[in-house]
Amino acid sequence: MTKTLDRLSTELVSSLQGEKMVSLITLDAETKLPQLSVVSWVNAKPNGTQIKIALGHKASSIENIRSNPNVLVGIIGAGSCYEVRGTATVSPIFERTMKLCIVTIEVETVENVMFYGGKVTVEPEYEKTYNPELAKKLDSEVYELFIQND
């Protein structure tokens, strides 16, 4: 039986300091069925009690969270796979190079959900396929918003 924690471990917090691919699961506002999104603009509070995610202002996850704030975040990191359950809120729209919202998730439980006897040896990697200068500019704006909205 795995131990459930009420906050992210120090190792998970370190791994969630940007450019980390995580899964965000919300309940669809209309169908009430689970909806999966993969996001990469993510930041964890140093004490492990909060995760911030940036989304485009028209992302379906935003309307889903406004309808039902209960979310799951799936994380592959720190040698394993984790389910983070929490309650999310959505910021007003920030107008930068693109219109963004910051989703703040108050961590309620963290559970290691890796199958018995398994260990993650290589974490998923991704590559941005759009203009590198634009990617750098967007990243800078998002991480600035994370700091401003702390």
Side-chain angles (χ1 to χ4, degrees):
M1 182 161 179
T2 60
K3 187 168 109 177
T4 302
L5 304 172
D6 67 351
R7 65 186 58 221
L8 302 168
S9 68
T10 304
E11 197 174 7
L12 275 176
V13 167
S14 293
S15 76
L16 294 177
Q17 296 306 313
E19 297 307 304
K20 178 74 171 186
M21 190 169 68
V22 301
S23 299
L24 174 64
I25 300 169
T26 59
L27 289 177
D28 185 279
E30 292 180 23
T31 67
K32 309 300 182 214
L33 295 172
Q35 182 179 38
L36 172 68
S37 300
V38 177
V39 297
S40 65
W41 283 322
V42 59
N43 184 267
K45 197 170 188 174
N47 67 6
T49 61
Q50 199 176 75
I51 298 171
K52 290 185 184 287
I53 293 173
L55 298 172
H57 77 291
K58 290 185 178 181
S60 56
S61 298
I62 290 174
E63 207 48 52
N64 294 348
I65 291 167
R66 287 184 176 136
S67 173
N68 182 334
N70 297 300
V71 300
L72 292 177
V73 178
I75 304 167
I76 299 174
S80 200
C81 298
Y82 296 88
E83 173 195 88
V84 178
R85 188 176 301 273
T87 304
T89 54
V90 178
S91 74
I93 295 172
F94 296 101
E95 294 200 35
R96 299 296 189 271
T97 300
M98 65 183 275
K99 293 179 181 179
L100 302 163
C101 290
I102 302 296
V103 174
T104 302
I105 302 164
E106 298 298 331
V107 174
E108 294 167 2
T109 62
V110 179
E111 185 173 356
N112 184 330
V113 293
M114 187 71 179
F115 54 84
Y116 177 77
K119 178 180 179 180
V120 174
T121 57
V122 178
E123 293 185 24
E125 292 183 9
Y126 66 93
E127 177 180 310
K128 294 178 181 173
T129 58
Y130 57 98
N131 179 314
E133 290 175 20
L134 177 59
K136 188 175 181 177
K137 182 178 182 183
L138 288 170
D139 290 347
S140 176
E141 290 174 354
V142 166
Y143 296 115
E144 192 176 295
L145 280 174
F146 283 153
I147 292 166
Q148 292 172 358
N149 290 278
D150 209 5

